[in-house]
Amino acid sequence: MYRPALLLALCAAASAFQAPFLSSSSFRGASLAKGVTPAAPRARACGPMMGIKELRDRVTSVKNTKKITSAMRLVAAAKVRRAQDAVLKTRPFSETLQKVLGGLIQRLKKDNFDSPLMTERAVKKVLLVIMTGDRGLCGGYNSYAIKKAEGRIRELLAQNIEVDLVTIGNKGNQYFKKRYNVVNSYTIGNSPTADQATPIAQNLLATYLAGDADRVELLYTKFTSLISSEPSVRTMLPLSPTGIEAEGDEIFLMTSKDGSFGVERASSGKVEPQQFPKDMIFEQDPEQILSAILPLYFNGQILRQMQESVASELAARMTAMQSASDNASDLIRDLTRQMNRQRQAAITQEISEIVAGASSGAN
Amino acid sequence: MSIHISIIAPDRTVWDANAEEVILPSSTGQLGILKGHAPLLTALDIGVMRVRVDRDWTPIVLLGGFAEIENDELTILVNGAEEASQIDRDQAQRDLEEMTVKFNEATTNKERIEATQNLRKARARLQAVSA
């Protein structure tokens, strides 16, 4: 979608942009059009008065930046819509899977089924999968996820448990590869597909089954609403039978109320486990069938979590760009007022000079 | 006079149509399904599924999953599925050779598990375009 050069320009523009907002003071000379690097924020009161022309230039440059941030907001909104469509497409799969899986687990409940994917082992090593975004400019999204991951890693290390990392998303990879042992890294993209999720799931399963890790944990950002989403850690392997049964399906929906975009969370309720007919033939042992289904379930879960994280990222970007645009409007208003005041002052001064000259001539 | 088949992958429905006869790659061998089959649940291996409409057989590569038959409704959930028409024969041949080499070179447990999976996928792909 973005060419790298363009993205770089955008980053520069927005970082030039955000600095003054954080310190809530004015800055000077960060003109996008001229490609000048962001100047240090300077408090309006202490700096020398800017001339009318300078002020006018700055208003123009802030206006340009505002155009970019609002465009980025719209782009993010369009992508949320696409991400939502992708989630809807996973419904038939997850619903059927949940039904059959629930039915099987109910049927097997009396016996003790032990699938290697469900057996708890003594934990010496944990594989932590971290999902972040590929890009920045989305508020605190990436840094929250990274902070949470750091916290979890420290917790585990404090318990003398080794940690290996798998990162999904460039930002996480950039941060963690210098600090910890990153075994594998993937990008997350804008709308994760099964083609992306399957190799990841396969790799995680292989790591777990080979005994290279005794538990697989996943850090993803749970999408709650446009303004809040929380990074959470969840154990993916070994799978717990209760977790599979109890889970309802939640999806996010894009809304456009009052002309502004919103995203809501909708729950489709719990899927009832399927009641198999009495004469149902189980071609293999139900246990064996279960162990064929569990990887599917795992695969679906990974895909789901990726989609969830992407939705959170896009929502975070929408919010960040919205507040950047709002700040730009404020800045434009202030600067324009300042400019008009100076213009008026200059006019007043000219008039009083003329009047003074005229009156001294008359005398 | 037919069974309804839907093949569902995690992110899309791959196939949704009627057919007269289906042969499934179950994990305990090939399994033929005709109309009026008793309700059945089976695990599927990585392999080739064949669907017959009239006299035409369509091979589809299934990447592991399970199938359920009830009232002439065949629901197949898989990790992934590919129609044979999307597979390039030479490419499949090369992939198989590459995977065989990888499989033989695998040293760690993890590599072996992954290589086995990939080898079976490559084999199924080639099988689908060969027959």
Side-chain angles (χ1 to χ4, degrees):
Chain A
M1 193 93 199
Y2 297 126
R3 281 161 293 143
L6 176 61
L7 184 68
L8 268 180
L10 289 180
C11 290
S15 57
F17 209 79
Q18 276 162 357
F21 298 141
L22 295 176
S23 56
S24 74
S25 58
S26 150
F27 71 110
R28 223 183 130 170
S31 154
L32 173 76
K34 290 170 198 155
V36 179
T37 46
R42 190 191 285 185
R44 203 175 294 153
C46 345
M49 227 23 176
M50 279 189 279
I52 296 177
K53 193 176 167 331
E54 278 169 318
L55 280 168
R56 194 178 297 129
D57 283 352
R58 277 210 49 208
V59 169
T60 321
S61 102
V62 174
K63 272 185 184 159
N64 282 337
T65 314
K66 186 186 167 191
K67 272 182 206 155
I68 291 171
T69 54
S70 44
M72 285 185 76
R73 179 175 150 265
L74 290 177
V75 169
K79 282 179 181 162
V80 170
R81 169 85 60 179
R82 215 179 314 152
Q84 176 194 329
D85 288 346
V87 171
L88 286 178
K89 276 194 199 146
T90 65
R91 293 303 286 290
F93 183 85
S94 56
E95 262 169 28
T96 320
L97 189 63
Q98 210 122 63
K99 247 181 8 204
V100 175
L101 201 50
L104 260 182
I105 287 175
Q106 272 192 352
R107 180 168 276 233
L108 283 167
K109 209 160 238 173
K110 283 137 207 157
D111 327 329
N112 276 326
F113 50 93
D114 47 5
S115 156
L117 291 181
M118 286 189 165
T119 323
E120 297 260 0
R121 301 197 289 236
V123 179
K124 290 196 203 73
K125 196 171 198 177
V126 166
L127 187 69
L128 182 61
V129 185
I130 301 167
M131 289 186 184
T132 57
D134 282 346
R135 296 205 209 95
L137 289 188
C138 44
Y141 172 78
N142 287 316
S143 55
Y144 285 146
I146 288 173
K147 216 174 275 170
K148 179 89 182 175
E150 275 276 11
R152 184 65 192 156
I153 293 169
R154 285 211 199 95
E155 247 171 70
L156 291 169
L157 290 178
Q159 296 168 32
N160 278 329
I161 297 172
E162 282 179 71
V163 185
D164 275 352
L165 299 182
V166 169
T167 58
I168 306 178
N170 281 339
K171 284 284 168 189
N173 187 36
Q174 279 163 17
Y175 179 88
F176 287 108
K177 73 178 172 201
K178 294 175 224 147
R179 294 171 173 84
Y180 300 100
N181 180 24
V182 175
V183 217
N184 256 317
S185 59
Y186 305 88
T187 56
I188 195 157
N190 286 326
S191 55
T193 59
D195 290 340
Q196 259 175 293
T198 309
I200 299 175
Q202 195 189 329
N203 189 285
L204 295 178
L205 279 175
T207 310
Y208 180 76
L209 289 175
D212 288 352
D214 305 301
R215 194 161 72 206
V216 177
E217 291 183 2
L218 175 83
L219 186 139
Y220 71 108
T221 305
K222 195 172 150 64
F223 180 87
T224 37
S225 75
L226 262 188
I227 40 170
S228 91
S229 47
E230 41 176 325
S232 4
V233 179
R234 153 172 191 187
T235 302
M236 298 301 287
L237 290 172
L239 294 163
S240 80
T242 45
I244 296 172
E245 270 180 295
E247 211 170 277
D249 203 16
E250 281 192 323
I251 52 165
F252 53 93
L253 286 173
M254 179 99 183
T255 56
S256 45
K257 272 191 292 228
D258 314 327
S260 66
F261 298 110
V263 182
E264 279 172 2
R265 223 180 154 75
S267 177
S268 65
K270 206 180 142 197
V271 181
E272 283 303 311
Q274 183 169 13
Q275 296 300 321
F276 295 116
K278 283 220 171 63
D279 57 347
M280 186 80 161
I281 305 170
F282 289 89
E283 185 68 14
Q284 296 87 13
D285 271 348
E287 222 170 86
Q288 222 179 321
I289 298 180
L290 188 67
S291 53
I293 296 180
L294 288 179
L296 278 184
Y297 174 77
F298 182 68
N299 200 338
Q301 287 293 305
I302 294 280
L303 177 64
R304 195 45 181 286
Q305 249 65 280
M306 285 170 78
Q307 289 175 332
E308 182 107 20
S309 294
V310 167
S312 308
E313 182 194 342
L314 293 173
R317 181 164 295 129
M318 269 172 72
T319 321
M321 289 303 119
Q322 172 75 61
S323 56
S325 307
D326 290 350
N327 282 335
S329 306
D330 289 352
L331 196 56
I332 291 170
R333 206 188 48 226
D334 284 357
L335 287 171
T336 314
R337 186 176 297 146
Q338 217 181 323
M339 189 171 79
N340 287 340
R341 205 169 280 156
Q342 282 197 26
R343 195 165 50 91
Q344 233 164 348
I347 293 171
T348 314
Q349 199 184 337
E350 261 175 50
I351 291 178
S352 58
E353 273 168 15
I354 292 171
V355 170
S359 59
S360 71
N363 288 339
Chain B
M1 287 301 106
S2 57
I3 26 183
H4 181 247
I5 309 169
S6 41
I7 304 177
I8 309 171
D11 60 352
R12 71 203 164 105
T13 304
V14 184
W15 181 284
D16 193 17
N18 289 319
E20 271 99 273
E21 189 180 351
V22 184
I23 298 175
L24 292 172
S26 96
S27 60
T28 41
Q30 302 275 315
L31 183 71
I33 311 280
L34 288 167
K35 188 180 158 52
H37 200 287
L40 175 135
L41 189 69
T42 178
L44 297 178
D45 226 349
I46 296 175
V48 185
M49 155 192 181
R50 289 172 201 279
V51 182
R52 182 170 69 87
V53 182
D54 291 330
R55 288 194 173 171
D56 303 323
W57 287 93
T58 314
I60 301 168
V61 177
L62 300 182
L63 305 179
F66 72 95
E68 190 202 7
I69 302 116
E70 211 184 321
N71 301 328
D72 291 328
E73 284 281 334
L74 174 58
T75 313
I76 302 174
L77 256 65
V78 282
N79 284 310
E82 288 165 37
E83 274 185 69
S85 54
Q86 294 166 354
I87 303 170
D88 175 46
R89 188 159 197 278
D90 297 332
Q91 182 66 42
Q93 180 75 45
R94 277 199 299 278
D95 284 351
L96 180 62
E97 279 157 19
E98 192 189 322
M99 289 308 163
T100 315
V101 173
K102 272 207 183 135
F103 177 74
N104 290 330
E105 282 172 354
T107 47
T108 63
N109 256 340
K110 186 188 160 196
E111 277 173 18
R112 213 166 296 135
I113 296 174
E114 279 200 287
T116 316
Q117 289 258 318
N118 288 333
L119 184 64
R120 282 161 65 200
K121 280 182 197 168
R123 210 175 273 155
R125 277 199 193 103
L126 188 62
Q127 197 191 335
V129 280
S130 309

